[in-house]
Amino acid sequence: MTTIDPAPSLHFIRRIIEEDLETNKYDGRVMTRFPPEPNGYLHIGHAKSICLNFGLADEYGGLCNLRFDDTNPTKEEVEYVESIKEDVRWLGFDWEDRLYYASDYFEQLYQYAVQLVQEGKAYVDSLSAEEIKEYRGTLTKPGRESPHRNRPVEENLDLFKRMRAGEFEDGTHVLRAKIDMASGNLNMRDPVMYRILHAEHHRTGNDWCIYPMYDWAHGLCDSIEGITHSICTLEFEDHRPLYNWFLEQLDVYRPQQIEFARLNLTHTVMSKRKLLRLVKNGHVRAWDDPRMPTISGFRRRGYTPKSIRDFCERIGVAKKDSTVDIRLLEYYIREDLNKRAPRVMSVLRPLRVVIDNYPEDKVEELEAINNPEDPAMGKRMVPFSRVLYIERDDFREDPPKKWFRLAPGREVRLRYGYYITCADVVKDEKTGDVVELHCTYDPETRGGWSPDGRKVRGTLHWVSAAHALEAEVRLYDHLFIKPDPEDEEDGSDFEVNLNPNSMETLKSCKVEPSLTGAASGSRYQFERLGYFCVDPDSSDETLVFNRTVTLRDTWAKIEKAQQTKASGKH
RNA sequence: UGGGGGAUCGUCUAGUGGUAGGACGCAUGACUCUGGAUCAUGCUACGGGGGUUCGAAUCCUCCUCCCCCAGCCA
């Protein structure tokens, strides 16, 4: 399941767990939970949390529950529940029979609330939402007590029962904890525990018309499940006193809440709200668009679960706000795919090449290695014939310095094929575009070796025209042009930083025949180009590939350096 | 001007009184039938001022900057 780094860092949460294990704080137990709200798709920030919670449980011989935090029926849907389960499973984690819902505990939560009411620690408030807000005070001004704060217990009990019974309209009453309206921590100024919501819940239907708030529900769910380490993100830090307060008052089992910094990535946004906007405004096709930082997006893009897990381990866990360079993620997917993706030759922007001295009807099957990193992956045969396609980018009529590829009069190697020399360039009379190359081949160089040992720096990928399969290839780039999408001149917002070229669709790509019938989701390295994955849109008629990530491109760097030098920049 | 957190290479992260380390990135070189991969070498950091100490990223102190909180969202 989980691959653990040979020397994972002893980050502060591991340290806490090890201390707790030593002092036997929880009888040697480690019990965590991943508690998503089913109101959207999971993104890579959630992956960090999933890897943390399931990973820690695994490392320390504990268990991790999957628990849906479904306390707000107005925003939650089964569709999200299903996608979340799929994503967690895909990442490689297993909650076994421990699939829980906060809604499983609604009755018990209610009983606990009644207990607090009976003890005079909670009361029904009948102020409007606006009034409650006003009474709460501000960051610097203390709040005021509600006129209903000192209702007799019996009245509170009666009102609360009738809230549950559905006697009141939404918004007319709430149940609040009686804590401290003057607290510097706003969460402690008599937080709302229940609100009236006449809404159908995706699991409990119409059984309830009052729903618990996060702060009230979360700690109790953790307590009921016997969670030891309740890990959440930094913004809940000042909810911790409240988390503890409820558990103390009820005198129930107390887990501890631990907060860590959420993941931010360059060149993308990470909040569900913003991701939803990208979908709604048509900037991407859907939640699983390969440009999205969602887990389903990465999956469709061709990322492996292992690459994401390795990434999540490497970025570490701390309390400092941070933004990880997306190139680190790209490093991990390259590293993984380099070892496991079979190599194949595909030409994205075809340029026709005729080998004038190669026999018209001859076809040779040439042996190609499937993965130089893994001999066990074997070999395959690739057809070679007189008319081929090569990449347009691999030919320059006017080659710059350090150009190893094809140019008039230059000789290059066709990978696993022959050495060819460019003899003639055919152009479109009107546009001047190069439409075809005429080359000659050296029959002595079959397979890509020359008996005289002459040096050929450039090796090109190619596909035999007669045998090529047509394919559509979708190239992706960062969703946002700037590392920080929020970095904009005042007035506008992150949408102005959207990369207009984040997706490019290439229609008549030529791929080698071994790709016939490639299954959706299968991943390949297109030699010299990058890693590609068969998209679900793919069919027997049209193969569709997504570019997961490019290969490192040293030539692009050299050329860029040459250009900046030429333009006088340093 | 309330409360809660946080500051170490460009980025992420170790280090918890004893030479500031790793990864990504970047640069250079070697190798190569992928300008891929691999290997080698190099690059840059303790927010600031005082103090304690033989010795401070670490301890004390003052300051600065950044993040979160005023949902009947989570």
Side-chain angles (χ1 to χ4, degrees), chain A residues 285 300 469-474 511 515-522 524 526 533-546:
Chain A
R285 297 182 178 191
R300 187 163 183 177
L469 265 33
E470 291 276 320
E472 175 181 324
V473 176
R474 299 168 184 168
V511 305
L515 250 15
T516 305
S520 173
S522 46
Y524 300 90
F526 288 1
C533 172
V534 180
D535 190 84
D537 286 350
S538 203
S539 65
D540 288 343
E541 300 84 63
T542 347
L543 283 165
V544 179
F545 293 91
N546 293 314

Side-chain angles (χ1 to χ4, degrees), chain A residues 123-127 145-152 155-156:
Chain A
Y123 63 98
V124 172
D125 198 357
S126 308
L127 253 27
E145 297 187 351
S146 164
H148 309 292
R149 195 173 198 258
N150 294 307
R151 281 214 252 239
E155 188 182 339
N156 283 324

Side-chain angles (χ1 to χ4, degrees), chain A residues 468-527:
Chain A
L469 265 33
E470 291 276 320
E472 175 181 324
V473 176
R474 299 168 184 168
L475 307 180
Y476 301 104
D477 194 359
H478 298 148
L479 234 194
F480 290 90
I481 216 85
K482 291 187 180 176
D484 176 11
E486 304 292 349
D487 174 19
E488 36 82 17
E489 303 305 312
D490 25 14
S492 53
D493 73 354
F494 69 91
E495 286 194 41
V496 303
N497 286 325
L498 244 4
N499 177 3
N501 304 313
S502 59
M503 175 164 108
E504 183 181 2
T505 303
L506 267 21
K507 290 288 189 183
S508 19
C509 307
K510 310 290 183 181
V511 305
E512 68 167 65
S514 72
L515 250 15
T516 305
S520 173
S522 46
R523 307 177 183 93
Y524 300 90
Q525 184 196 96
F526 288 1
E527 292 221 23

Side-chain angles (χ1 to χ4, degrees), chain A residues 224-289:
Chain A
I224 292 165
E225 292 177 11
I227 300 301
T228 55
H229 304 268
S230 178
I231 300 166
C232 63
T233 45
L234 250 29
E235 69 270 25
F236 291 100
E237 219 150 13
D238 47 15
H239 290 240
R240 191 178 349 123
L242 180 54
Y243 180 101
N244 291 332
W245 190 88
F246 283 131
L247 298 174
E248 266 168 47
Q249 300 308 311
L250 261 8
D251 194 27
V252 292
Y253 165 77
R254 285 180 60 182
Q256 66 177 316
Q257 177 179 302
I258 302 167
E259 311 86 9
F260 73 100
R262 60 156 20 105
L263 169 66
N264 296 295
L265 266 189
T266 59
H267 300 283
T268 192
V269 292
M270 204 73 92
S271 81
K272 282 185 195 169
R273 204 193 98 250
K274 288 172 191 163
L275 294 177
L276 181 63
R277 237 176 89 190
L278 293 175
V279 175
K280 285 259 161 43
N281 294 352
H283 297 305
V284 296
R285 297 182 178 191
W287 283 95
D288 72 342
D289 187 295

Side-chain angles (χ1 to χ4, degrees), chain A residues 97-116:
Chain A
D97 57 347
R98 299 178 314 283
L99 171 62
Y100 303 122
Y101 295 81
S103 54
D104 293 341
Y105 313 124
F106 279 177
E107 182 60 38
Q108 194 166 355
L109 257 25
Y110 177 82
Q111 296 304 336
Y112 277 134
V114 168
Q115 185 185 331
L116 285 193

